[in-house]
Amino acid sequence: MSSSHLPRPRPRTALLAPTALAAVLALGACGGGDDEAGRDGPGTPTGGTAADASKSGANAAPRYARYVALGDSFAALGPTAAPTSGPQACHRSSRNYASLLAERPDVGELVDVTCGGAETPDMTAPQIVETPPQFDALTHDTDLVTLSIGGNDIGFGAMVECIVQTPRAAAGSPCRDRLELPVTGALDGLGDRLDTVYAGIRERSPDARVVTTAYLPLVPADGGCDFVSRMSPGDITWTRAVTERINRIVTDAAGRAGAEAVLPEDARERSACAAPDVRYTDFTGVETGSHPMHPTAAGHRAMADAVGAVL
């Protein structure tokens, strides 16, 4: 993705490019169900800041009148104490980054159809019985779309399950040995699947501003903490390589589609190994009131700010 075609990010927000991905090393757990009935937000593709919207008057129409949030559990799941909406299995939070973004004065109606466990096929086919495909929320007048997808397609959930359940090998990589072949195969095909997703968004909402959110880090780029120390050394290296690659694929696909891919600029320092009060993700969720292996409340706020910075 060429950053020359994208708006310059504000402080604390990074537009992702392949050269920056080495700092974005995440172990994602997108495997649960977390969808909910949606809300809506933003309006026109011209963009603008919250301050600009405020200056135009409290009763002025928002720049983004209809905002649709698409994606998996990294978009859907918020603080465990927050109410959820939609299908219970989706665990769609009322305090996820889409809901926080929709509080901006330049964003109007939010339609949140994110759902835990979502994969790219769930954009056009029901993920849960009697629940419409996520793309059904897209309309011709939708003018803002956020997207978080791809982790479940390549088996993040299986990776996390293996790492949590497999005893540490002093010099080995048992999870890589078990899962590298299917994960690599899925990564090889992910770019084409994402291209299809973006084509579907453009077909249904041709004038929408599309912002893709990359995966917030769980495992730090270097060093570690108690949880990481219980992982096999080879598996630490492997998970970093896998998530570096998926974020590169996600970023490149966004660039091909004319979308923007964002991640908080300080995400590297706020992995699940950071202090509880500053971490953006958590391994267990116990200290932060979040879902295990998912973003914390601070992570969702940071991601909302990252998206807002490019609007």
Side-chain angles (χ1 to χ4, degrees), residues 145-171:
V145 174
T146 56
L147 175 67
S148 170
I149 205 70
N152 293 316
D153 289 71
I154 67 116
F156 268 2
M159 291 174 63
V160 169
E161 182 179 8
C162 182
I163 287 166
V164 169
Q165 296 182 356
T166 304
R168 183 181 187 275

Side-chain angles (χ1 to χ4, degrees), residues 3-298:
S3 59
S4 63
H5 300 299
L6 301 175
R8 181 179 296 276
R10 299 173 188 164
R12 291 177 53 98
T13 300
L15 284 175
L16 297 185
T19 55
L21 284 169
V24 184
L25 303 174
L27 172 61
C30 308
D34 45 304
D35 219 345
E36 320 201 29
R39 308 182 170 194
D40 310 18
T44 70
T46 56
T49 66
D52 292 336
S54 297
K55 291 176 183 177
S56 64
N59 297 322
R63 290 181 181 272
Y64 299 96
R66 190 171 196 277
Y67 164 32
V68 174
L70 307 171
D72 56 23
S73 58
F74 261 55
L77 274 65
T80 54
T84 59
S85 64
Q88 183 176 4
C90 284
H91 304 297
R92 187 182 310 127
S93 176
S94 61
R95 302 303 293 168
N96 58 19
Y97 74 72
S99 297
L100 299 174
L101 185 68
E103 294 176 351
R104 290 168 52 100
D106 55 345
V107 175
E109 177 195 18
L110 164 64
V111 179
D112 186 356
V113 291
T114 58
C115 188
E119 301 180 20
T120 54
D122 299 317
M123 301 298 103
T124 55
Q127 179 182 350
I128 298 172
V129 176
E130 298 182 356
T131 298
Q134 292 195 26
F135 272 5
D136 280 16
L138 296 173
T139 58
H140 192 78
D141 63 344
T142 297
D143 40 26
L144 178 63
V145 174
T146 56
L147 175 67
S148 170
I149 205 70
N152 293 316
D153 289 71
I154 67 116
F156 268 2
M159 291 174 63
V160 169
E161 182 179 8
C162 182
I163 287 166
V164 169
Q165 296 182 356
T166 304
R168 183 181 187 275
S173 52
C175 292
R176 183 192 65 190
D177 296 344
R178 187 183 315 168
L179 298 172
E180 184 173 24
L181 186 60
V183 168
T184 299
L187 283 165
D188 289 343
L190 183 59
D192 289 341
R193 300 178 81 164
L194 292 174
D195 288 345
T196 299
V197 169
Y198 285 112
I201 293 172
R202 291 302 182 197
E203 178 182 357
R204 294 163 177 81
S205 303
D207 297 324
R209 183 90 173 262
V210 181
V211 182
T212 296
T213 55
Y215 291 98
L216 286 165
L218 274 159
V219 173
D222 50 50
C225 54
D226 182 63
F227 184 95
V228 174
S229 71
R230 296 196 297 270
M231 295 173 59
S232 301
D235 286 338
I236 297 173
T237 301
W238 177 61
T239 55
R240 287 171 171 164
V242 168
T243 52
E244 178 181 343
R245 186 179 175 195
I246 189 175
N247 274 332
R248 182 180 296 114
I249 292 169
V250 165
T251 299
D252 288 348
R256 290 193 298 272
E260 293 141 308
V262 301
L263 194 74
E265 190 175 70
D266 58 351
R268 181 179 184 180
E269 292 76 38
R270 297 183 180 241
S271 73
C273 281
D277 59 338
V278 301
R279 68 181 59 149
Y280 286 164
T281 55
D282 203 344
F283 292 122
T284 68
V286 172
E287 296 178 300
T288 58
S290 54
H291 292 270
M293 303 292 180
H294 282 83
T296 62

